[in-house]
Amino acid sequence: MHTADVPKDERFGWWRDLLLKDLAPTHIESPHRDDFRASSAALELGPVKVSVLSFPPLASVRTARLVRRADPELWELGYLAGGIMVLDQARNHAQVTAGDLLLYDTSQPVRMRVTQGGRLTILHLPKSSVPVPDRSMRELLSRRLPAQGAGSLLAGFLQGLAGAQWSGWEAERLGAAAVHLASAFLGGLADRADLLPPETRQSVLLRRVKDFIEAHLSDPELSPQTIADAHHISVRYLHHLFRPEQRTVAALVRELRLDRCRTDLARPGRAGHPVAAIGARWGFTDPAVFNRAFKEAFGMPPGAYRRSLGAFRGTADRS
């Protein structure tokens, strides 16, 4: 089922409602909700269900409150055929790219952010069907799982499921095969934890810090101290995390803010917004500081940058 078959202003709500019939309750948002282009298919395979999804960038959150409201007690094993997904669960953080497998638990809060349009196939595994101890499964949550060995077979199997229709007898057998293959893959990883990509505590924490900074750029109070406080670390340790980055925390904040300002200045829809208001929107409360920082980064003050874009568009329109 594709959103192209639905009126434009109803697409996002329709797809979200359709998705939540197959998935555990989750809050879903997308910057593309005004023209949401996505598809969804559900396959009933005897003991398991498979969801085949395609979608633009979006974010989903399953909170503790939603877990208490309804928990189907599933291990959700996904194969990402396209896009980039950032996944957080059980104090683990991973960036998953096309060709990777991933695992999350419906019984715990989880956050997912798709930064590029995704194609995802999810195998919904009842926990009782997977003969791997829960403790071992939890070690695999929110990690980039390698599609190697049994993982490669599983990825190909899931892709094959997504591309065909099956009779009732075939579906029952394929569902049982999916459980066996997934159990072999997950059990093998649990026994050989060294196969997981090495992600040190510092690298995971650094990624979380960067995500936090991007989410709070508009806050004029954002500073190394507030960032450190939010992650229960010292400012000194925060600077230590950034040492391999060849730039300071403050430099990253300024760089990201200036990039957002430049994007807004280039948008025709914000042509009526004063330059100072755009700077303030991204944390530059002092217009003089904003002008100076923008000129240093891009070679001209923000007002001149906006005028140069207008002149370019006018020339393009006349040509």
Side-chain angles (χ1 to χ4, degrees), residues 124-165:
H124 308 281
L125 290 164
K127 290 184 175 181
S128 59
S129 71
V130 181
V132 180
D134 284 2
R135 182 179 61 184
S136 298
M137 292 289 285
R138 285 193 291 269
E139 292 296 318
L140 305 178
L141 295 175
S142 190
R143 294 184 182 273
R144 184 174 62 83
L145 304 179
Q148 302 169 3
S152 178
L153 291 175
L154 177 62
F157 183 80
L158 291 176
Q159 285 187 294
L161 289 177
Q165 294 183 337

Short mmCIF file of all heavy atoms in Angstrom, two decimals, residues 124-165:
data_model
loop_
_atom_site.label_atom_id
_atom_site.label_comp_id
_atom_site.label_asym_id
_atom_site.label_seq_id
_atom_site.Cartn_x
_atom_site.Cartn_y
_atom_site.Cartn_z
N HIS A 124 9.15 -9.73 12.94
CA HIS A 124 8.61 -9.60 14.29
C HIS A 124 8.67 -10.97 14.97
O HIS A 124 7.87 -11.86 14.67
CB HIS A 124 7.17 -9.09 14.25
CG HIS A 124 6.98 -7.85 13.43
ND1 HIS A 124 7.29 -6.60 13.90
CD2 HIS A 124 6.52 -7.68 12.16
CE1 HIS A 124 7.02 -5.69 12.96
NE2 HIS A 124 6.55 -6.33 11.90
N LEU A 125 9.63 -11.12 15.88
CA LEU A 125 9.87 -12.42 16.50
C LEU A 125 9.29 -12.47 17.91
O LEU A 125 9.76 -11.74 18.80
CB LEU A 125 11.38 -12.69 16.58
CG LEU A 125 12.13 -12.94 15.28
CD1 LEU A 125 13.62 -12.78 15.50
CD2 LEU A 125 11.80 -14.34 14.76
N PRO A 126 8.28 -13.31 18.17
CA PRO A 126 7.84 -13.50 19.56
C PRO A 126 9.01 -13.95 20.42
O PRO A 126 9.79 -14.83 20.02
CB PRO A 126 6.77 -14.59 19.44
CG PRO A 126 6.30 -14.53 18.02
CD PRO A 126 7.51 -14.14 17.22
N LYS A 127 9.16 -13.35 21.59
CA LYS A 127 10.32 -13.68 22.42
C LYS A 127 10.37 -15.16 22.77
O LYS A 127 11.45 -15.75 22.88
CB LYS A 127 10.30 -12.82 23.69
CG LYS A 127 10.58 -11.35 23.41
CD LYS A 127 10.66 -10.55 24.70
CE LYS A 127 11.06 -9.12 24.39
NZ LYS A 127 11.17 -8.29 25.61
N SER A 128 9.19 -15.76 22.92
CA SER A 128 9.15 -17.18 23.29
C SER A 128 9.66 -18.09 22.19
O SER A 128 9.98 -19.26 22.42
CB SER A 128 7.72 -17.58 23.65
OG SER A 128 6.86 -17.36 22.54
N SER A 129 9.77 -17.55 20.95
CA SER A 129 10.19 -18.39 19.82
C SER A 129 11.70 -18.40 19.62
O SER A 129 12.21 -19.18 18.80
CB SER A 129 9.51 -17.90 18.53
OG SER A 129 10.04 -16.66 18.10
N VAL A 130 12.43 -17.53 20.33
CA VAL A 130 13.87 -17.41 20.11
C VAL A 130 14.61 -18.09 21.26
O VAL A 130 14.57 -17.60 22.40
CB VAL A 130 14.30 -15.94 20.00
CG1 VAL A 130 15.80 -15.83 19.74
CG2 VAL A 130 13.52 -15.25 18.88
N PRO A 131 15.29 -19.20 21.02
CA PRO A 131 15.95 -19.96 22.10
C PRO A 131 17.31 -19.39 22.48
O PRO A 131 18.32 -20.09 22.55
CB PRO A 131 16.08 -21.36 21.49
CG PRO A 131 16.27 -21.09 20.04
CD PRO A 131 15.41 -19.90 19.72
N VAL A 132 17.34 -18.08 22.72
CA VAL A 132 18.56 -17.40 23.16
C VAL A 132 18.21 -16.67 24.45
O VAL A 132 17.18 -16.00 24.51
CB VAL A 132 19.06 -16.40 22.10
CG1 VAL A 132 20.33 -15.69 22.57
CG2 VAL A 132 19.31 -17.09 20.76
N PRO A 133 19.01 -16.79 25.50
CA PRO A 133 18.69 -16.12 26.77
C PRO A 133 18.47 -14.62 26.60
O PRO A 133 19.18 -13.97 25.82
CB PRO A 133 19.92 -16.40 27.64
CG PRO A 133 20.52 -17.63 27.06
CD PRO A 133 20.27 -17.56 25.58
N ASP A 134 17.49 -14.07 27.32
CA ASP A 134 17.20 -12.64 27.23
C ASP A 134 18.43 -11.80 27.52
O ASP A 134 18.65 -10.76 26.88
CB ASP A 134 16.08 -12.27 28.20
CG ASP A 134 14.71 -12.70 27.70
OD1 ASP A 134 14.65 -13.32 26.62
OD2 ASP A 134 13.71 -12.41 28.38
N ARG A 135 19.24 -12.23 28.49
CA ARG A 135 20.43 -11.46 28.84
C ARG A 135 21.37 -11.34 27.64
O ARG A 135 21.93 -10.26 27.37
CB ARG A 135 21.15 -12.13 30.00
CG ARG A 135 22.39 -11.38 30.47
CD ARG A 135 23.04 -12.10 31.63
NE ARG A 135 23.47 -13.45 31.25
CZ ARG A 135 23.99 -14.33 32.10
NH1 ARG A 135 24.12 -14.03 33.38
NH2 ARG A 135 24.36 -15.53 31.67
N SER A 136 21.52 -12.40 26.88
CA SER A 136 22.38 -12.38 25.70
C SER A 136 21.77 -11.53 24.59
O SER A 136 22.48 -10.79 23.87
CB SER A 136 22.62 -13.80 25.19
OG SER A 136 23.29 -14.58 26.16
N MET A 137 20.44 -11.60 24.46
CA MET A 137 19.77 -10.79 23.43
C MET A 137 19.92 -9.31 23.73
O MET A 137 20.12 -8.50 22.82
CB MET A 137 18.29 -11.18 23.36
CG MET A 137 18.03 -12.57 22.83
SD MET A 137 18.36 -12.73 21.05
CE MET A 137 16.93 -11.88 20.38
N ARG A 138 19.84 -8.95 25.01
CA ARG A 138 19.95 -7.53 25.37
C ARG A 138 21.31 -6.96 25.00
O ARG A 138 21.45 -5.76 24.75
CB ARG A 138 19.65 -7.34 26.85
CG ARG A 138 18.17 -7.45 27.19
CD ARG A 138 17.88 -6.94 28.59
NE ARG A 138 18.45 -7.81 29.60
CZ ARG A 138 17.79 -8.84 30.15
NH1 ARG A 138 16.56 -9.13 29.76
NH2 ARG A 138 18.36 -9.59 31.08
N GLU A 139 22.33 -7.81 24.97
CA GLU A 139 23.66 -7.34 24.57
C GLU A 139 23.72 -6.96 23.09
O GLU A 139 24.62 -6.24 22.67
CB GLU A 139 24.70 -8.43 24.84
CG GLU A 139 24.95 -8.71 26.31
CD GLU A 139 25.54 -7.51 27.03
OE1 GLU A 139 26.44 -6.84 26.44
OE2 GLU A 139 25.09 -7.20 28.14
N LEU A 140 22.74 -7.43 22.32
CA LEU A 140 22.73 -7.17 20.87
C LEU A 140 21.85 -6.00 20.49
O LEU A 140 21.83 -5.60 19.32
CB LEU A 140 22.24 -8.42 20.12
CG LEU A 140 22.99 -9.72 20.39
CD1 LEU A 140 22.36 -10.87 19.62
CD2 LEU A 140 24.46 -9.58 20.03
N LEU A 141 21.13 -5.43 21.45
CA LEU A 141 20.19 -4.36 21.14
C LEU A 141 20.90 -3.10 20.67
O LEU A 141 21.97 -2.74 21.17
CB LEU A 141 19.34 -4.02 22.38
CG LEU A 141 18.40 -5.11 22.88
CD1 LEU A 141 17.72 -4.66 24.18
CD2 LEU A 141 17.36 -5.47 21.83
N SER A 142 20.27 -2.43 19.72
CA SER A 142 20.75 -1.12 19.25
C SER A 142 22.23 -1.17 18.87
O SER A 142 23.02 -0.34 19.31
CB SER A 142 20.50 -0.06 20.33
OG SER A 142 20.73 1.24 19.83
N ARG A 143 22.57 -2.15 18.06
CA ARG A 143 23.92 -2.26 17.53
C ARG A 143 23.83 -2.50 16.02
O ARG A 143 22.81 -2.99 15.52
CB ARG A 143 24.70 -3.41 18.18
CG ARG A 143 24.99 -3.21 19.66
CD ARG A 143 25.85 -4.34 20.17
NE ARG A 143 26.12 -4.24 21.59
CZ ARG A 143 27.13 -3.56 22.12
NH1 ARG A 143 27.93 -2.89 21.32
NH2 ARG A 143 27.31 -3.52 23.42
N ARG A 144 24.90 -2.18 15.34
CA ARG A 144 24.97 -2.50 13.91
C ARG A 144 25.44 -3.94 13.81
O ARG A 144 26.58 -4.28 14.10
CB ARG A 144 25.96 -1.57 13.20
CG ARG A 144 26.03 -1.78 11.70
CD ARG A 144 26.91 -0.73 11.06
NE ARG A 144 28.28 -0.80 11.56
CZ ARG A 144 29.20 -1.64 11.08
NH1 ARG A 144 28.88 -2.50 10.12
NH2 ARG A 144 30.42 -1.63 11.57
N LEU A 145 24.52 -4.84 13.42
CA LEU A 145 24.82 -6.26 13.37
C LEU A 145 25.33 -6.63 11.99
O LEU A 145 24.71 -6.31 10.97
CB LEU A 145 23.57 -7.08 13.71
CG LEU A 145 22.91 -6.75 15.06
CD1 LEU A 145 21.67 -7.63 15.26
CD2 LEU A 145 23.89 -6.92 16.21
N PRO A 146 26.45 -7.31 11.90
CA PRO A 146 27.05 -7.58 10.60
C PRO A 146 26.26 -8.61 9.80
O PRO A 146 25.90 -9.66 10.32
CB PRO A 146 28.44 -8.12 10.97
CG PRO A 146 28.26 -8.71 12.33
CD PRO A 146 27.24 -7.86 13.02
N ALA A 147 25.99 -8.30 8.55
CA ALA A 147 25.32 -9.26 7.65
C ALA A 147 26.37 -10.19 7.07
O ALA A 147 26.69 -10.16 5.88
CB ALA A 147 24.56 -8.52 6.56
N GLN A 148 26.95 -11.02 7.94
CA GLN A 148 27.98 -11.97 7.55
C GLN A 148 27.55 -13.37 7.97
O GLN A 148 26.82 -13.52 8.95
CB GLN A 148 29.31 -11.61 8.22
CG GLN A 148 29.81 -10.21 7.91
CD GLN A 148 30.97 -9.82 8.81
OE1 GLN A 148 31.43 -10.61 9.62
NE2 GLN A 148 31.45 -8.59 8.66
N GLY A 149 28.02 -14.39 7.27
CA GLY A 149 27.67 -15.75 7.64
C GLY A 149 26.17 -15.94 7.62
O GLY A 149 25.49 -15.69 6.61
N ALA A 150 25.62 -16.37 8.76
CA ALA A 150 24.17 -16.54 8.87
C ALA A 150 23.45 -15.23 8.65
O ALA A 150 22.31 -15.19 8.16
CB ALA A 150 23.82 -17.13 10.24
N GLY A 151 24.11 -14.11 8.99
CA GLY A 151 23.49 -12.80 8.76
C GLY A 151 23.28 -12.51 7.30
O GLY A 151 22.27 -11.92 6.90
N SER A 152 24.22 -12.92 6.46
CA SER A 152 24.08 -12.74 5.02
C SER A 152 22.91 -13.58 4.49
O SER A 152 22.12 -13.11 3.66
CB SER A 152 25.38 -13.13 4.33
OG SER A 152 25.26 -13.01 2.93
N LEU A 153 22.80 -14.82 4.97
CA LEU A 153 21.68 -15.66 4.56
C LEU A 153 20.35 -15.05 5.00
O LEU A 153 19.37 -15.04 4.25
CB LEU A 153 21.83 -17.05 5.17
CG LEU A 153 22.97 -17.92 4.64
CD1 LEU A 153 23.07 -19.21 5.45
CD2 LEU A 153 22.76 -18.23 3.17
N LEU A 154 20.33 -14.53 6.24
CA LEU A 154 19.10 -13.95 6.77
C LEU A 154 18.70 -12.71 5.97
O LEU A 154 17.52 -12.53 5.63
CB LEU A 154 19.30 -13.58 8.24
CG LEU A 154 18.12 -12.90 8.94
CD1 LEU A 154 16.89 -13.80 8.94
CD2 LEU A 154 18.51 -12.52 10.36
N ALA A 155 19.68 -11.84 5.66
CA ALA A 155 19.38 -10.64 4.89
C ALA A 155 18.80 -10.99 3.52
O ALA A 155 17.80 -10.41 3.08
CB ALA A 155 20.65 -9.80 4.74
N GLY A 156 19.41 -11.96 2.84
CA GLY A 156 18.89 -12.38 1.54
C GLY A 156 17.51 -13.00 1.64
O GLY A 156 16.64 -12.78 0.78
N PHE A 157 17.30 -13.77 2.72
CA PHE A 157 16.00 -14.40 2.94
C PHE A 157 14.91 -13.35 3.14
O PHE A 157 13.82 -13.44 2.54
CB PHE A 157 16.10 -15.30 4.17
CG PHE A 157 14.85 -16.08 4.49
CD1 PHE A 157 14.55 -17.24 3.79
CD2 PHE A 157 13.99 -15.66 5.48
CE1 PHE A 157 13.40 -17.96 4.08
CE2 PHE A 157 12.84 -16.37 5.78
CZ PHE A 157 12.55 -17.53 5.07
N LEU A 158 15.19 -12.34 3.95
CA LEU A 158 14.20 -11.29 4.21
C LEU A 158 13.92 -10.49 2.94
O LEU A 158 12.76 -10.13 2.67
CB LEU A 158 14.70 -10.36 5.31
CG LEU A 158 14.77 -10.96 6.72
CD1 LEU A 158 15.37 -9.96 7.70
CD2 LEU A 158 13.39 -11.40 7.19
N GLN A 159 14.94 -10.21 2.15
CA GLN A 159 14.71 -9.51 0.89
C GLN A 159 13.84 -10.33 -0.05
O GLN A 159 12.97 -9.80 -0.76
CB GLN A 159 16.04 -9.17 0.23
CG GLN A 159 16.78 -8.02 0.88
CD GLN A 159 18.00 -7.63 0.09
OE1 GLN A 159 18.95 -8.38 -0.04
NE2 GLN A 159 17.97 -6.44 -0.49
N GLY A 160 14.07 -11.65 -0.07
CA GLY A 160 13.25 -12.51 -0.91
C GLY A 160 11.80 -12.54 -0.46
O GLY A 160 10.88 -12.53 -1.28
N LEU A 161 11.58 -12.55 0.86
CA LEU A 161 10.22 -12.52 1.38
C LEU A 161 9.49 -11.26 0.95
O LEU A 161 8.29 -11.27 0.66
CB LEU A 161 10.24 -12.59 2.91
CG LEU A 161 10.64 -13.91 3.56
CD1 LEU A 161 10.66 -13.74 5.07
CD2 LEU A 161 9.67 -15.03 3.17
N ALA A 162 10.24 -10.15 0.94
CA ALA A 162 9.61 -8.86 0.66
C ALA A 162 9.15 -8.72 -0.78
O ALA A 162 8.32 -7.87 -1.08
CB ALA A 162 10.60 -7.74 0.99
N GLY A 163 9.65 -9.57 -1.66
CA GLY A 163 9.37 -9.36 -3.07
C GLY A 163 8.38 -10.32 -3.68
O GLY A 163 8.29 -10.41 -4.90
N ALA A 164 7.63 -11.07 -2.86
CA ALA A 164 6.71 -12.07 -3.45
C ALA A 164 5.50 -12.30 -2.55
O ALA A 164 5.43 -11.78 -1.44
CB ALA A 164 7.47 -13.38 -3.67
N GLN A 165 4.54 -13.04 -3.07
CA GLN A 165 3.37 -13.45 -2.31
C GLN A 165 3.40 -14.97 -2.16
O GLN A 165 3.91 -15.67 -3.04
CB GLN A 165 2.09 -13.00 -3.01
CG GLN A 165 1.93 -11.48 -3.06
CD GLN A 165 0.62 -11.08 -3.70
OE1 GLN A 165 0.03 -11.83 -4.48
NE2 GLN A 165 0.16 -9.89 -3.38
#
